[in-house]
Amino acid sequence: MKKSTMNDPFEQARTKHGYAQVSDQDDPVTMILGLKDVRKCAHNWQTFQSGAVPGRIVVPSEVNIRSTRQIPFEVDPPLHKDFRSLLDPWFKRPLQPEYQQQLNEQISCLVDSALNGNNIVEIIEDFALVLQSRALTLLLNTPIEESELWISWGTHVFRSEGEALDGAKAAILYDYIDAQIDKAIAAPSGDLYSTLLAAEVNGKKLTKEEIKGVIILTFSGGRDTVINAVSNTIAYFSEHPESLQRLRDEPEIRSRSIEEFIRYFSPLTHMGRVATEDTQVCEHAVKADSRISLCWASANRDATVFENPNEVVLDRKMNPHVGFGFSHHNCLGATHARQILNTLIKVLCEKVATIDFIDCEENIEHWDDFKRKVGYHSLNVKFNPA
């Protein structure tokens, strides 16, 4: 099996039952596994709530390290729509030519550096984390120099050594955001902090806590996911040089390939909801105030929907994946993430002939009996110039 292969540990449970049960920090969670059921539950916000206790709908739960509600992630309709109406124009800025040009310059610089000297490159810390952090300065509209601090935090803002959630490390992010909001209050600029300070929702100025919630989501929601998407894409090209060549020869299918990579890699395994009442899913009883998991990674491999679900089909035409969520809570940063992958593929096609896979340490998530590879703790490759 190739090192870039992404397994589907949920296939048997999905096919047999449509659901599974796991424990998250001693809190029982019902995992919803089929695409149809995941989409149905994601759409049913009245029964399956996002606006529960802050941090609880995340899997693994962040309730012990975070009391600030992430907005609009942990807000339900109708207020959710009001926040999305405010935020969507800002988060659609990656569609602007100037934004795309700056992103292209950032990624081209990184690839040029990787090609320089014919050296082995460690992709997670030295490429994907740097790419994600620098690109985030564009999304926030802050100086690129800020990214150096963010890079120093490592690949996860809520974890330090190992996989355990780390409240002390999370506090570094929270304190940083508080300071940036105070800075924007004292001297408004064109960044996201200042934009939110000047904005209103339902005729009211956003509170500092609400602004902090938006910014926490912006930092945390797109960090691991973008790093996983970038590194998994590079690993795939290293073991499938014919795919990189095809995208070089057929640029018209690149947008479809991006959707396929998101489906296949599923950078985020799942997201939770809290049941507001006793109900059933897949004929399985779900108690009020218990959590379900919308398992995007499982839904994206549902063979009743996707032909050859365990293969990457670069030009897959019918691709209703849920890699960016579904319904009201589709990913706020999806446009930014798509543009990163689009630009990365474009630059690789222009500058890189092949990529040599050297070695790696895989990043495996454990959910009771389920073991899912989400990416890599380390990945060493060598870029060969075109």
Side-chain angles (χ1 to χ4, degrees):
M1 181 182 295
K2 294 180 182 293
K3 289 292 187 179
S4 60
T5 299
M6 308 294 283
N7 67 320
D8 174 20
F10 309 107
E11 182 178 8
Q12 183 175 354
R14 182 178 62 246
T15 303
K16 188 173 182 180
H17 302 293
Y19 71 92
Q21 291 183 283
V22 297
S23 175
D24 174 20
Q25 302 169 75
D26 298 321
D27 185 7
V29 178
T30 300
M31 301 179 79
I32 313 303
L33 302 177
L35 181 68
K36 180 180 178 180
D37 292 318
V38 164
R39 287 164 62 107
K40 183 178 179 180
C41 292
H43 190 67
N44 184 5
W45 62 268
Q46 294 96 337
T47 302
F48 301 109
Q49 186 182 67
S50 296
V53 175
R56 193 174 177 210
I57 68 166
V58 184
V59 188
S61 170
E62 294 169 0
V63 70
N64 292 324
I65 65 167
R66 176 167 61 81
S67 59
T68 298
R69 187 177 301 282
Q70 292 186 354
I71 295 176
F73 180 54
E74 293 173 321
V75 179
D76 288 305
L79 184 59
H80 174 270
K81 182 179 179 181
D82 298 325
F83 277 109
R84 283 299 294 242
S85 296
L86 166 65
L87 296 169
D88 276 342
W90 183 275
F91 283 84
K92 295 296 184 185
R93 289 167 48 254
L95 298 175
Q96 298 173 359
E98 181 181 0
Y99 192 109
Q100 294 174 9
Q101 180 181 349
Q102 290 177 292
L103 184 60
N104 187 82
E105 290 171 359
Q106 289 183 357
I107 295 178
S108 292
C109 181
L110 263 176
V111 173
D112 286 342
S113 178
L115 287 166
N116 187 30
N118 201 31
N119 294 321
I120 293 174
V121 180
E122 200 293 299
I123 291 297
I124 307 304
E125 295 278 353
D126 297 338
F127 189 96
L129 173 60
V130 176
L131 188 160
Q132 184 274 332
S133 298
R134 291 179 180 174
L136 184 59
T137 66
L138 295 177
L139 190 60
L140 294 177
N141 201 25
T142 57
I144 194 169
E145 291 75 19
E146 283 291 298
S147 65
E148 295 304 316
L149 174 61
W150 309 339
I151 291 166
S152 74
W153 295 341
T155 55
H156 200 295
V157 294
F158 291 152
R159 295 188 178 98
S160 54
E161 298 299 322
E163 295 299 308
L165 292 168
D166 185 339
K169 185 172 184 185
I172 295 173
L173 173 63
Y174 304 153
D175 291 344
Y176 171 82
I177 293 173
D178 284 336
Q180 294 303 305
I181 295 173
D182 290 340
K183 180 180 175 181
I185 292 172
S189 66
D191 61 17
L192 180 55
Y193 306 97
S194 302
T195 300
L196 294 175
L197 283 165
E200 294 183 353
V201 171
N202 292 333
K204 297 180 180 179
K205 292 282 190 180
L206 274 65
T207 66
K208 188 174 180 179
E209 187 75 358
E210 288 171 333
I211 294 170
K212 186 175 179 178
V214 173
I215 302 296
I216 289 174
L217 176 60
T218 305
F219 267 96
S220 63
R223 196 168 182 88
D224 285 8
T225 50
V226 168
I227 290 169
N228 287 340
V230 167
S231 55
N232 287 335
T233 299
I234 289 172
Y236 184 82
F237 285 148
S238 72
E239 294 192 315
H240 298 84
E242 74 285 352
S243 294
L244 182 59
Q245 183 61 47
R246 184 179 178 193
L247 293 177
R248 185 180 293 115
D249 295 338
E250 302 177 51
E252 67 274 12
I253 69 167
R254 289 178 191 170
S255 60
R256 273 185 272 167
S257 75
I258 291 166
E259 300 308 313
E260 178 67 348
F261 285 143
I262 294 297
R263 180 198 70 83
Y264 181 76
F265 299 141
S266 292
L268 181 66
T269 300
H270 50 179
M271 188 55 62
R273 296 288 188 269
V274 177
T276 60
E277 60 185 359
D278 290 351
T279 186
Q280 284 192 331
V281 179
C282 309
E283 300 182 356
H284 174 70
V286 175
K287 289 289 188 180
D289 198 42
S290 67
R291 276 192 297 163
I292 66 167
S293 147
L294 305 174
C295 192
W296 315 121
S298 173
N300 283 339
R301 298 296 183 93
D302 191 334
T304 66
V305 178
F306 302 102
E307 186 177 359
N308 301 320
N310 296 317
E311 298 177 11
V312 172
V313 181
L314 292 176
D315 60 350
R316 189 182 293 274
K317 295 176 177 62
M318 298 297 293
N319 196 352
H321 71 78
V322 287
F324 288 119
F326 181 72
S327 192
H328 317 284
H329 287 282
N330 61 302
C331 177
L332 184 64
T335 303
H336 178 67
R338 284 186 170 103
Q339 198 58 50
I340 286 174
L341 286 181
N342 180 65
T343 306
L344 175 65
I345 290 172
K346 173 179 175 291
V347 172
L348 290 176
C349 285
E350 292 171 350
K351 295 176 177 288
V352 177
T354 57
I355 304 171
D356 297 336
F357 194 113
I358 307 301
D359 57 41
C360 70
E361 179 188 354
E362 295 182 338
N363 181 2
I364 307 294
E365 286 184 346
H366 293 258
W367 297 103
D368 292 347
D369 293 334
F370 300 107
K371 297 178 181 179
R372 179 181 183 250
K373 174 183 170 184
V374 294
Y376 306 89
H377 288 302
S378 66
L379 171 65
N380 290 294
V381 306
K382 186 168 79 68
F383 291 115
N384 301 307

